[in-house]
Amino acid sequence: MTRRLVQSANGLIQYTRELIAQRRVQPQDDFLSTLVKAQAEKGHVTDDEIVANAMLILLAGHLAVRNLIGNAIYLLLTHPEQRNKLQSQPELLANAIQEVLRYEPPVILIPRVATEDFEFHGQTIRNGQIVQLSIASANRDSDHFPESDRFDISRNASKALSFGHGPHSCLGAVLAKQEAAIAIETLFRRMPNIRLDDSKPIKWYRNAGNRGPEVLPLVF
């Protein structure tokens, strides 16, 4: 599996580099041509960065959105008082999704590269080292979210870091929330008596950086 993954990734990288070379000769009205033009005018964008961004936009998001929708359904079904609140106040849907992102983020770890040496809680972090940041831990910080271990769709969870922050905010955050809103509203409208199937186990995604159900048995 790993060998196939590496081969596929290398093939996609090579294909994207060929497209970049083509766009330099024959620009089109597309994303790659825009980046190639920016590179020629300002020189701040490397081919490696163009490849990385092209692959990011092509591949990113599907797993996070799947986890977000699955986590939302799971949390609402295991917290019936919150589901009832959402049914009686459908205007809370966007707020509910933000609380799902805080309480059970679809991506729970995010790497960052240190740009200088610094000390953090007695630990020396060196320039160039990779640091894994825990989104799940930050979103349960009681200094920012009172009663942080309580799932409450009416709370203000706007400070949750599930989609990053500042210049590192996720490009697809708005789209992901819209997709989740459509899925959740449609599911509970069409299947108002849906519930978890307690006779079958939930299978959670086995990956240290992601959190969401691969299998969520439901009956309706």
Side-chain angles (χ1 to χ4, degrees):
M1 177 65 73
T2 302
R3 186 178 295 110
R4 289 177 55 194
L5 177 63
V6 172
Q7 291 174 345
S8 297
N10 289 337
L12 182 56
I13 290 171
Q14 181 58 35
Y15 175 68
T16 306
R17 291 188 183 281
E18 293 172 0
L19 288 179
I20 292 171
Q22 292 175 13
R23 294 303 188 270
R24 286 199 177 98
V25 179
Q26 295 179 316
Q28 299 182 20
D29 185 17
D30 60 18
F31 176 70
L32 282 179
S33 296
T34 300
L35 291 183
V36 169
K37 181 180 179 182
Q39 183 185 50
E41 292 178 350
K42 300 179 181 180
H44 297 314
V45 184
T46 67
D47 278 9
D48 286 344
E49 290 171 330
I50 295 177
V51 170
N53 279 278
M55 293 180 65
L56 175 67
I57 291 178
L58 177 64
L59 300 174
H62 66 281
L63 179 59
V65 173
R66 186 194 73 176
N67 287 349
L68 171 56
I69 294 172
N71 289 344
I73 295 169
Y74 170 78
L75 287 173
L76 289 170
L77 292 180
T78 54
H79 295 79
E81 77 288 352
Q82 297 301 312
R83 179 186 175 184
N84 292 336
K85 182 185 294 187
L86 181 59
Q87 288 179 319
S88 63
Q89 303 177 65
E91 67 275 10
L92 286 177
L93 179 56
N95 214 74
I97 292 172
Q98 189 65 32
E99 173 67 352
V100 170
L101 286 166
R102 182 199 71 83
Y103 189 86
E104 199 74 88
V107 178
I108 58 178
L109 293 175
I110 189 168
R112 288 290 182 260
V113 178
T115 58
E116 60 183 31
D117 295 350
F118 66 95
E119 295 281 336
F120 184 75
H121 287 263
Q123 179 69 41
T124 300
I125 307 298
R126 300 298 184 186
N127 180 22
Q129 287 187 325
I130 296 177
V131 180
Q132 286 283 7
L133 305 178
S134 173
I135 295 174
S137 177
N139 285 353
R140 296 290 185 99
D141 187 342
S142 58
D143 288 342
H144 294 280
F145 305 104
E147 297 184 84
S148 58
D149 289 331
R150 181 169 61 89
F151 178 63
D152 181 4
I153 67 170
S154 61
R155 84 159 73 234
N156 180 4
S158 60
K159 292 183 179 180
L161 299 177
S162 303
F163 282 118
H165 178 70
H168 297 288
S169 295
C170 175
L171 186 64
V174 173
L175 177 60
K177 294 176 185 179
Q178 290 176 339
E179 290 176 306
I182 292 171
I184 295 166
E185 190 280 328
T186 301
L187 179 70
F188 285 112
R189 172 168 47 82
R190 293 184 178 181
M191 303 175 183
N193 64 339
I194 195 170
R195 64 187 188 280
L196 291 177
D197 185 351
D198 295 329
S199 67
K200 299 178 181 178
I202 299 173
K203 180 181 178 182
W204 293 93
Y205 192 79
R206 293 180 60 83
N207 184 298
N210 296 277
R211 172 70 174 173
E214 276 194 323
V215 178
L216 187 64
L218 304 170
V219 292
F220 58 92

